[in-house]
Amino acid sequence: MSEQHQWTITPGEQPPEFFIKAVKGYTPLSSGLYAAQLLWQRGIKDRQQLRAFINHKAYKPASPFEFGQEMHLAIARLQQAYNTREKIAIWGDFDADGITATSVLWDGLGQFFAQNTQLIFYIPDRLKESHGLNNQGIDNLAKQGCKLIVTCDTGSTNLEEIIYAQQLGIDVIVTDHHTLPAERPPVAAIINPRYLPREHRLFHLSGVAVAYKLMEALYQSLPNIAKYPLEDLLDLVAIGLIADLVQLSGDCRYLAQLGIQRLQEDFQQPAAVRRRPGVGRLLELCHKSGDRPTDISFGLGPRINAVSRIQGDANFCVELLTSRDLIRCKELAEVAELANARRKSLQKDVQAQVAQKLTQLDLSTTSVIVLEDAQWPAGVLGLVAGQIAQETGRPTILLSTEKVGDGGDGGDGGDGGDGGDGGDGGDGEGIFSSSPSSSSSPSSPSSPSSPSSPSSPSLARGSARSVNSVDLYQLVKDQAHLLHRFGGHPFAAGLSLLVENIPLFKAAINQQLRQSLGSRILTPTVQADLMVTVADLGKELFLELKLLEPCGMGNPVPKLLIQNCLFENSWHRNQQDWQGKKVQYIKTEFDIRDDSSRSTFPGIWWGHYKDELPMGRCDCIAELDYNTLKKRYEIRLIAVRPNGNSAVNTEHLPLILDLRNQEYSALGTQHSPLIIEDCPTNWDDLRAWLQRCLKKSRSGSGLDNQQQLAIAWSKPNHQPPKEIWLTLVGIAKYLSRTNQLVTRVQILEKIGISDQTLLVGIKALKYLGFTVKEQDPYLQISWNPRDSGENFADAAVAQFFAAVREEQFQRQYFAQVPLSTIVAIARYDN
């Protein structure tokens, strides 16, 4: 599916000695050279900048009133509401930034307005409504007597809905960070950093940070009223900032630093006295401690986002983040964990389906990947689009043509991944995806909440992700005449359009990007920041690089290039969900070594089997991390390739033809290839075929006698394990009743599992009272209830289910493993 990645290393000059010494002052255990190089590359070039970057106490944050007249208008309207005891509604958004922004306003405004009586909140349903305001929701708030709506992370472009609210006697204060309308909307106030100059310290604030700045101004304007300090909101700000993947510079970095500190301090408290027991329980479930930005991007963020992706309604997440009821928070956290497990499963399934569709696409003539399917759940399309964009180096748009209400017209927030908790990717399961959230930009007067009626035209809706500095929002915007609604950012967009318009949209957006690229070719790239050796890895380097945290856009996690290295002691395992049920993804663990040290260093590779590691010398790009669960420092492998200097014997390698999911009746080759029709379940199965090819090739002479191998298995069509089990039990009952004999092959063909898994099933049948006797080559099955072992039957059946899931997981992997990986295995085995 993916093309060969292009590797680059960040160019940079050697920092001057004074700067290295200044950095060394913050890293007494190491030389400080690597951190100095990175900081210098990233524009930190004097002592004052360095001090403000590393130590938040040396940074002077911007005043909330630098938003100018709009902030004064907002505070005046809130003071009016406070004086006249008006009812206020917070209108939030359903991603992590929007939910934390809602929580900041709920806790912050809750110091001035009685919660649930004077103050309520509303978060649209992700699967039924769009981002932003809608008339139906406004009607509901009007009926409850609300006189003021304060939006967060949304609302800037909802002009018609704002006018509609005015007609109902409701004022609107917009706090947002998304696309601005051409003219100022008719609101009481609009606080959006996009009105500020790009170089302003507040320009990159996310939705939650804008909401915090409003609360900061209110606390200053109405002092001595709030019961709890403003700083209690900072942990929520850090979660939203980092989960939304905004550029962490200026006040964004400052607020994230303070918030992570607050988050860690609260987590270290006993659960019964934590300020945010819900956040604490989420951290426990993902085995994090709250002291690292990755604890948010790979832990908290994906779990918060998963709720709306799977359930649609994420309103309870505000209670999860703000309630002090320990028991209730524990219940809600586990609901979020279940949603995240389900999200992972759906994401994996959709990714496999997208990978299959990509095999039918000629990437050499494709600039923008646009794919659609009626069965794809809209909630995970942004995540998968992000993965595909990274793997192919091309902007990717995925559309669901399922007939549902018109929602999803704005770019949804991407999850940082699930790296540490066992993997959304990057929650890395080795899967990474990056994209900020977005608001909607209506291109038609239709109400965003009005569902499609049976007679209305079918709408496709989906998400888009970009790479290689391609402004995807502008690309989508230029096709507005073909769209129903759209909204987004340069790197993320959401859209809906008539299904009949998809071919026109696909052709137009590809033509537009081809014209703008000219001779430039889009290729997937992976970039390294520093060259290091295995001897450099460990605590000292980790603490030195930690100076750059919190990392994010504009200040990414350092990528380390390790050359001429070897992998040893590798092994992989399949990760199951948190209840030990469904297989979610794979993870390989290994030790890495090179010539710099006699010692090895541990590492992990999410989403890959150990057989995918090169057997000889290689180069790799990795991130240095600390595993909280295992209490060890380790690398997280990002990319690996054979070292160009490695001696590899390529003589007599078989020519491998990839005919998966294709007709192959007429191959048109001089010599008939060996054809593998059955999808393997492990690399050893495939190696056996490769060895057969090699033997045939070596028995001949010259290239004309080179044996070809055709991998021609079809995409597996898996039945649920329970259905397979019921079929097996049905066969056993029939055979015991009729006294017929059956071969093992006949059973295998009937239920579609391997011989090894069948043996587990036969063992489970015995606990149900069946007797299975072998009369080569037949099996005789009879039933004797006195021989049943009811106490062990459930466990035996569970083992069979697990064996089936494992086998299906392996087959799914081999159904889509890149041909390049198979060739690499053949090369190194030879």
Side-chain angles (χ1 to χ4, degrees):
M1 179 182 69
S2 60
E3 297 183 58
Q4 186 67 38
H5 281 62
Q6 178 182 340
W7 287 27
T8 61
I9 185 162
T10 305
E13 57 184 297
Q14 179 78 5
E17 189 64 30
F18 88 87
F19 190 77
I20 297 174
K21 287 182 178 179
V23 174
K24 166 71 175 171
Y26 295 98
T27 60
L29 297 179
S30 61
S31 67
L33 177 60
Y34 288 130
Q37 285 179 317
L38 287 170
L39 290 164
W40 193 263
Q41 286 172 6
R42 298 177 183 185
I44 309 299
K45 296 192 173 183
D46 62 49
R47 290 186 177 88
Q48 184 176 349
Q49 281 183 306
L50 177 66
R51 186 165 54 251
F53 184 87
I54 292 175
N55 182 7
H56 63 81
K57 294 180 180 178
Y59 179 85
K60 184 177 181 181
S63 164
F65 291 100
E66 289 188 33
F67 279 103
Q69 181 65 17
E70 296 293 345
M71 183 63 78
H72 289 284
L73 290 172
I75 295 303
R77 185 61 186 87
L78 286 171
Q79 285 179 320
Q80 176 187 330
Y82 177 77
N83 293 332
T84 59
R85 302 183 62 82
E86 289 179 314
K87 189 168 186 176
I88 297 178
I90 303 164
W91 190 297
D93 196 26
F94 40 67
D95 66 1
D97 189 29
I99 288 169
T100 51
T102 305
S103 301
V104 162
L105 293 182
W106 180 248
D107 270 1
L109 290 175
Q111 301 297 301
F112 304 89
F113 303 89
Q115 292 176 341
N116 299 312
T117 54
Q118 278 185 282
L119 183 67
I120 60 175
F121 65 85
Y122 179 83
I123 296 175
D125 187 304
R126 184 184 204 127
L127 303 182
K128 298 177 182 178
E129 303 173 74
S130 74
H131 294 265
L133 299 164
N134 63 68
N135 291 357
Q136 184 177 339
I138 294 171
D139 284 337
N140 184 29
L141 297 180
K143 291 176 184 177
Q144 297 182 63
C146 293
K147 296 299 181 184
L148 175 63
I149 293 174
V150 182
T151 76
C152 51
D153 195 36
T154 194
S156 292
T157 57
N158 289 132
L159 304 183
E160 294 173 6
E161 291 81 5
I162 290 168
I163 293 171
Y164 182 73
Q166 278 187 330
Q167 292 170 350
L168 297 180
I170 302 175
D171 287 336
V172 179
I173 295 175
V174 170
T175 74
D176 193 11
H177 71 126
H178 294 115
T179 307
L180 294 172
E183 298 180 3
R184 183 187 183 277
V187 292
I190 178 169
I191 303 169
N192 189 321
R194 292 199 177 210
Y195 282 116
L196 299 171
R198 178 169 287 275
E199 63 275 9
H200 196 283
R201 293 180 297 166
L202 299 176
F203 182 81
H204 295 291
L205 294 187
S206 72
V208 68
V210 177
Y212 178 82
K213 283 296 184 181
L214 176 63
M215 290 301 92
E216 184 180 359
L218 185 62
Y219 271 63
Q220 292 176 10
S221 302
L222 297 176
N224 305 319
I225 295 177
K227 179 181 178 182
Y228 296 105
L230 176 69
E231 292 72 26
D232 278 1
L233 304 175
L234 286 169
D235 48 1
L236 297 174
V237 177
I239 294 170
L241 272 170
I242 293 171
D244 206 47
L245 301 169
V246 296
Q247 183 166 315
L248 292 181
S249 60
D251 274 45
C252 288
R253 178 177 175 83
Y254 170 77
L255 293 171
Q257 286 174 312
L258 290 175
I260 290 172
Q261 180 178 310
R262 205 83 174 176
L263 189 66
Q264 183 185 16
E265 290 171 354
D266 193 46
F267 184 71
Q268 290 173 343
Q269 298 294 322
V273 297
R274 287 175 183 159
R275 285 183 302 106
R276 302 201 188 279
V279 175
R281 180 56 183 157
L282 284 178
L283 287 169
E284 290 170 351
L285 287 169
C286 59
H287 307 292
K288 306 291 186 185
S289 59
D291 65 328
R292 304 282 311 286
T294 49
D295 294 356
I296 295 170
S297 55
F298 292 165
L300 297 177
R303 282 158 177 78
I304 296 170
N305 278 322
V307 174
S308 63
R309 294 187 190 280
I310 300 304
Q311 299 182 185
D313 184 356
N315 278 272
F316 82 77
C317 286
V318 176
E319 182 181 3
L320 171 63
L321 298 183
T322 60
S323 172
R324 303 204 177 195
D325 184 331
L326 180 61
I327 296 175
R328 176 62 174 161
C329 284
K330 183 176 180 181
E331 293 173 355
L332 296 177
E334 289 174 0
V335 173
E337 186 71 16
L338 279 171
N340 193 48
R342 176 63 178 151
R343 185 272 306 166
K344 294 177 189 177
S345 177
L346 284 176
Q347 183 179 342
K348 182 164 68 68
D349 292 345
V350 172
Q351 186 183 10
Q353 295 168 31
V354 171
Q356 179 56 41
K357 286 179 179 286
L358 280 177
T359 63
Q360 312 300 319
L361 202 62
D362 184 357
L363 289 181
S364 66
T365 61
T366 302
S367 299
V368 183
I369 295 170
V370 183
L371 298 171
E372 71 276 358
D373 193 280
Q375 303 302 316
W376 287 343
V380 299
L381 292 186
L383 297 174
V384 179
Q387 294 172 260
I388 302 304
Q390 291 291 332
E391 291 173 4
T392 62
R394 290 162 175 77
T396 300
I397 302 172
L398 300 182
L399 300 165
S400 173
T401 56
E402 179 185 12
K403 195 158 187 177
V404 294
D406 169 32
D409 50 66
D412 56 313
D415 294 333
D418 291 343
D421 71 321
D424 185 323
D427 227 35
E429 285 144 17
I431 300 171
F432 299 87
S433 65
S434 62
S435 70
S437 299
S438 149
S439 66
S440 64
S441 210
S443 57
S444 84
S446 303
S447 167
S449 62
S450 57
S452 300
S453 66
S455 59
S456 63
S458 294
L459 282 174
R461 63 194 184 106
S463 295
R465 297 291 184 267
S466 189
V467 287
N468 284 324
S469 301
V470 175
D471 188 339
L472 183 59
Y473 175 76
Q474 189 61 45
L475 277 177
V476 173
K477 183 180 179 182
D478 288 346
Q479 310 306 323
H481 60 287
L482 296 173
L483 303 177
H484 176 64
R485 296 174 64 86
F486 71 94
H489 287 292
F491 286 96
L495 66 157
S496 59
L497 72 162
L498 293 175
V499 172
E500 63 192 50
N501 283 351
I502 292 176
L504 288 172
F505 173 76
K506 192 180 301 187
I509 200 168
N510 267 276
Q511 181 181 18
Q512 181 186 350
L513 183 56
R514 277 195 298 270
Q515 291 174 347
S516 65
L517 288 174
S519 59
R520 179 185 166 201
I521 299 175
L522 293 176
T523 56
T525 60
V526 57
Q527 184 161 307
D529 299 295
L530 297 168
M531 291 178 58
V532 301
T533 66
V534 172
D536 293 323
L537 303 174
K539 180 179 180 180
E540 291 181 4
L541 181 59
F542 175 82
L543 293 177
E544 181 176 330
L545 298 182
K546 201 171 185 289
L547 287 178
L548 280 81
E549 291 187 355
C551 294
M553 289 183 66
N555 178 39
V557 176
K559 303 289 190 298
L560 311 177
L561 173 62
I562 307 170
Q563 296 182 305
N564 203 29
C565 57
L566 291 162
F567 294 102
E568 300 177 354
N569 305 322
S570 60
W571 61 284
H572 63 245
R573 61 192 174 101
N574 294 328
Q575 300 288 106
Q576 295 180 320
D577 66 27
W578 72 297
Q579 294 181 318
K581 293 180 179 178
K582 186 170 182 178
V583 174
Q584 295 291 328
Y585 46 87
I586 52 179
K587 179 181 75 170
T588 290
E589 299 197 28
F590 57 82
D591 292 326
I592 187 173
R593 73 160 58 250
D594 65 8
D595 297 332
S596 68
S597 173
R598 294 182 178 180
S599 301
T600 60
F601 193 79
I604 57 173
W605 197 15
W606 294 103
H608 294 270
Y609 284 102
K610 67 175 183 178
D611 309 86
E612 297 176 64
L613 289 170
M615 299 288 286
R617 294 276 181 171
C618 61
D619 302 332
C620 72
I621 295 177
E623 297 174 358
L624 184 57
D625 201 6
Y626 180 72
N627 189 318
T628 306
L629 190 61
K630 293 188 174 183
K631 309 291 186 189
R632 73 175 192 184
Y633 297 94
E634 62 188 19
I635 61 168
R636 186 206 310 266
L637 195 59
I638 303 299
V640 62
R641 67 182 181 188
N643 184 281
N645 298 323
S646 296
V648 178
N649 178 16
T650 59
E651 184 181 4
H652 292 311
L653 278 181
L655 176 63
I656 303 175
L657 306 175
D658 190 354
L659 304 178
R660 286 173 289 184
N661 305 298
Q662 299 180 38
E663 293 291 334
Y664 55 91
S665 55
L667 290 173
T669 57
Q670 182 178 352
H671 304 288
S672 297
L674 291 177
I675 299 176
I676 317 176
E677 293 182 321
D678 294 328
C679 185
T681 59
N682 55 66
W683 282 107
D684 289 338
D685 290 348
L686 198 52
R687 283 190 174 101
W689 283 93
L690 291 168
Q691 289 303 316
R692 284 179 61 185
C693 269
L694 289 170
K695 286 179 181 179
K696 284 202 170 192
S697 293
R698 287 164 179 162
S699 66
S701 60
L703 291 175
D704 289 341
N705 291 312
Q706 188 177 33
Q707 178 63 55
Q708 295 179 336
L709 177 67
I711 56 173
W713 54 80
S714 298
K715 180 182 178 182
N717 185 18
H718 293 140
Q719 288 183 296
K722 185 176 181 180
E723 288 186 18
I724 295 174
W725 169 247
L726 293 175
T727 302
L728 180 59
V729 172
I731 292 172
K733 288 180 177 179
Y734 173 79
L735 294 174
S736 67
R737 187 171 65 250
T738 61
N739 292 320
Q740 290 187 30
L741 298 179
V742 67
T743 66
R744 186 170 292 171
V745 173
Q746 288 175 314
I747 297 179
L748 296 178
E749 290 177 349
K750 182 68 175 176
I751 61 179
I753 59 175
S754 67
D755 191 57
Q756 184 177 359
T757 303
L758 177 59
L759 291 175
V760 181
I762 289 174
K763 180 180 178 181
L765 287 175
K766 291 177 179 179
Y767 283 116
L768 291 182
F770 290 97
T771 301
V772 183
K773 294 181 180 180
E774 291 193 37
Q775 298 180 8
D776 199 32
Y778 297 102
L779 297 177
Q780 182 182 35
I781 301 177
S782 57
W783 187 59
N784 187 344
R786 290 177 297 178
D787 295 335
S788 65
E790 294 181 2
N791 294 335
F792 303 100
D794 288 347
V797 173
Q799 287 181 345
F800 176 70
F801 285 4
V804 172
R805 281 193 293 264
E806 168 69 14
E807 180 182 324
Q808 291 179 345
F809 185 78
Q810 300 274 11
R811 290 189 193 278
Q812 190 68 44
Y813 170 79
F814 282 100
Q816 64 190 57
V817 63
L819 180 62
S820 59
T821 300
I822 296 175
V823 172
I825 294 296
R827 177 179 292 115
Y828 289 116
D829 281 354
N830 189 45

